[in-house]
Amino acid sequence: MLNSSVFSRVMKKWSRTRGRLVVISSPTAGGKTTVCAALIKSDRTCVRSVSCTTRRPRKGEEDGVDYYFLGEKAFKEKIKQGFFLEWAKVHDSYYGTPGRYAEDLLKKGKNVILTIDVNGGKQVKRNFKDACFIFLLPPSFNEMLKRIKRRGTESRAAVSLRLSTAEKELKELPAYQYLVINDSLNDAVCRIRSIIKAENSKIKHAKEAH
Ligand code: 5GP
């Protein structure tokens, strides 16, 4: 007969307590930073991982908030020390996700949101079998161009570089599990929240359960 201790044992064995690593990638101006900020504001189970980068801060960006801004030597030293959960060179700069911070949050049951490029996404896929992969796209190419121009932070050469990277990035879309079109911010955030909820409602993977 079912009793409370059997019930608790079943719950403990098959439900997840660990958070989910959520990779969100998109080509340039896909809106992942805005979507991620709105997601974190609306869902306390989600935490954004702050990456390290060797790129120069843009106007208004703060060290330790938007990124940890590092010199190339310091970044390479951290690669050697195994500090990063993943890292990649994107548009001539290095970017990497600090590993320890993400791991601590996952243990506390938080969903850790990584807004990273497709090469970083590949590394996560190799090392974290239960991570969730979301590809975010602007609603059209014209909208994408409009967003880049509105941002106004890139030189013409930098825009060309980002567009040619975007072409390569789009080829990686089939490796992702979910496609979210970022037409309306609200809708995109709702969809991502639903995806995370569904992922976390999955019955624990047999290997994790034992
Ligand atoms: P941005 O310079 O516009 O902030 O970012 C450029 C690209 O680097 C974006 O595609 C962004 O998602 C990616 N990126 C930001 N942080 C990381 C990271 O920690 N790892 C990887 N692999 N890519 C990142």
Side-chain angles (χ1 to χ4, degrees):
M1 193 172 64
L2 181 65
N3 60 32
S4 121
S5 77
V6 173
F7 188 85
S8 307
R9 221 180 309 132
V10 170
M11 286 284 277
K12 197 170 164 209
K13 186 170 174 185
W14 296 108
S15 63
R16 272 180 79 89
T17 49
R18 191 176 153 83
R20 182 81 60 175
L21 205 51
V22 180
V23 172
I24 303 182
S25 299
S26 77
T28 190
K32 53 187 178 298
T33 311
T34 313
V35 167
C36 180
L39 171 68
I40 277 144
K41 210 169 161 192
S42 68
D43 188 334
R44 283 190 306 145
T45 67
C46 295
V47 180
R48 183 176 77 98
S49 159
V50 179
S51 296
C52 298
T53 184
T54 61
R55 133 162 116 55
R56 286 181 173 278
R58 293 193 186 112
K59 206 172 160 207
E61 283 184 332
E62 262 181 71
D63 188 41
V65 177
D66 300 285
Y67 283 106
Y68 295 104
F69 295 99
L70 300 179
E72 201 164 309
K73 196 171 165 220
F75 193 100
K76 287 185 172 163
E77 196 51 46
K78 287 197 182 297
I79 295 177
K80 271 196 220 144
Q81 291 163 356
F83 179 81
F84 297 118
L85 175 161
E86 64 71 38
W87 65 271
K89 196 171 184 189
V90 193
H91 314 312
D92 289 337
S93 301
Y94 289 90
Y95 294 83
T97 304
R100 171 85 64 82
Y101 179 66
E103 187 51 44
D104 288 348
L105 289 167
L106 290 170
K107 276 191 200 143
K108 287 183 188 153
K110 295 288 183 191
N111 301 305
V112 181
I113 315 298
L114 310 183
T115 51
I116 62 176
D117 88 311
V118 292
N119 290 319
K122 276 185 197 164
Q123 291 168 54
V124 175
K125 200 166 194 182
R126 274 199 300 273
N127 299 323
F128 295 82
K129 298 293 171 220
D130 70 342
C132 167
F133 297 86
I134 301 171
F135 205 89
L136 193 65
L137 271 185
S140 67
F141 180 71
N142 279 345
E143 179 57 29
M144 183 171 158
L145 276 185
K146 242 196 258 169
R147 286 181 191 175
I148 300 178
K149 285 182 186 156
R150 210 182 300 143
R151 197 155 72 181
T153 50
E154 316 292 341
S155 66
R156 195 176 282 202
V159 171
S160 303
L161 177 61
R162 278 171 186 259
L163 286 180
S164 78
T165 307
E167 191 186 2
K168 289 178 208 137
E169 285 173 329
L170 270 182
K171 295 200 174 115
E172 302 297 333
L173 193 155
Y176 283 67
Q177 297 164 312
Y178 298 95
L179 173 62
V180 172
I181 306 296
N182 182 14
D183 198 349
S184 120
L185 177 62
N186 248 343
D187 188 54
V189 170
C190 282
R191 277 168 192 266
I192 294 175
R193 286 184 66 177
S194 308
I195 290 167
I196 297 172
K197 272 195 189 142
E199 285 289 321
N200 284 338
S201 305
K202 279 182 178 166
I203 290 169
K204 232 192 229 176
H205 191 278
K207 257 195 211 148
E208 285 177 77
H210 294 294

